[in-house]
């Protein structure tokens, strides 16, 4: 039970060192918890900022789209869109009448070709068919 002065000195430091070590560990754990909370808050804040930026961008897009639609509508109503439409209709009518004329001129020829192919029947048996039949039933 008697301790030397050196041993007494070491034994008196051990409880305080153990307590300071456990206190240090607790401090580290608390710091880690705070850091985790800070990171989580930063992630949430980042997500909120991204959502807000997306909403702002959508609003700007809608405004821009509305402006461009107004410009387009104004151009269509005032600047010769009827002229363009009339030109387009005239070109279309010209193309349709040209196609109808080609149809009328080629109609008889097309009917003649179709009838000749329908009525043309070949009674010749292909040589490959003859050979395969001979192989199946044997050469007779």
């Amino acid at each position: 039970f008697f301790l030397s002065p050196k041993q007494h000195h070491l034994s008196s430091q051990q409880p305080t060192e153990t307590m300071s070590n456990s206190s240090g560990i607790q401090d580290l754990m608390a710091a880690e918890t705070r850091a985790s909370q800070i990171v989580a808050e930063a992630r949430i804040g980042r997500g909120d900022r991204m959502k807000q930026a997306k909403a702002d961008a959508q609003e700007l897009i809608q405004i821009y789209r509305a402006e461009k639609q107004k410009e387009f509508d104004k151009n269509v109503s005032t600047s010769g869109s009827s002229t363009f439409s009339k030109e387009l209709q005239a070109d279309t009518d010209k193309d349709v009448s040209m196609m109808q004329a080609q149809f009328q001129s080629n109609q008889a020829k097309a009917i003649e070709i179709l009838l000749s192919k329908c009525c043309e029947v070949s009674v010749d048996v292909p040589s490959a068919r003859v050979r395969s039949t001979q192989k199946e039933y044997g050469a007779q």
Side-chain angles (χ1 to χ4, degrees):
F1 289 128
F2 293 106
L3 298 174
S4 68
K6 186 176 185 182
Q7 288 175 340
H8 180 68
H9 178 68
L10 288 175
S11 67
S12 64
Q13 285 183 347
Q14 285 178 351
T16 56
E17 281 183 19
T18 306
M19 290 185 70
S20 67
N21 283 344
S22 68
S23 172
I25 291 172
Q26 288 177 352
D27 289 344
L28 285 174
M29 290 175 63
E32 184 178 345
T33 303
R34 282 193 305 269
S36 296
Q37 289 172 348
I38 291 170
V39 168
E41 290 172 3
R43 284 186 183 146
I44 291 170
R46 179 175 173 247
D48 291 344
R49 287 191 305 274
M50 292 294 286
K51 288 177 187 175
Q52 184 61 42
K54 184 177 180 180
D56 292 346
Q58 287 296 331
E59 186 177 327
L60 289 173
I61 289 169
Q62 289 174 351
I63 292 169
Y64 180 77
R65 185 175 287 146
E67 288 174 6
K68 290 301 175 181
Q69 186 66 41
K70 280 183 183 178
E71 287 179 26
F72 176 74
D73 291 342
K74 183 180 176 183
N75 288 339
V76 166
S77 65
T78 60
S79 68
S81 65
S82 60
T83 306
F84 176 73
S85 177
K86 289 177 185 176
E87 289 175 6
L88 182 61
Q89 186 64 43
D91 287 345
T92 303
D93 291 341
K94 186 177 84 172
D95 289 344
V96 168
S97 64
M98 187 173 63
M99 286 183 218
Q100 287 176 343
Q102 288 175 346
F103 172 76
Q104 293 299 329
S105 67
N106 294 326
Q107 181 180 10
K109 193 186 302 182
I111 291 172
E112 183 181 324
I113 291 171
L114 287 172
L115 288 175
S116 71
K117 294 299 177 185
C118 290
C119 297
E120 184 180 295
V121 178
S122 174
V123 291
D124 295 332
V125 178
S127 61
R129 184 66 158 168
V130 170
R131 284 193 303 266
S132 69
T133 305
Q134 287 175 348
K135 283 181 183 178
E136 281 183 33
Y137 297 106
Q140 293 177 1

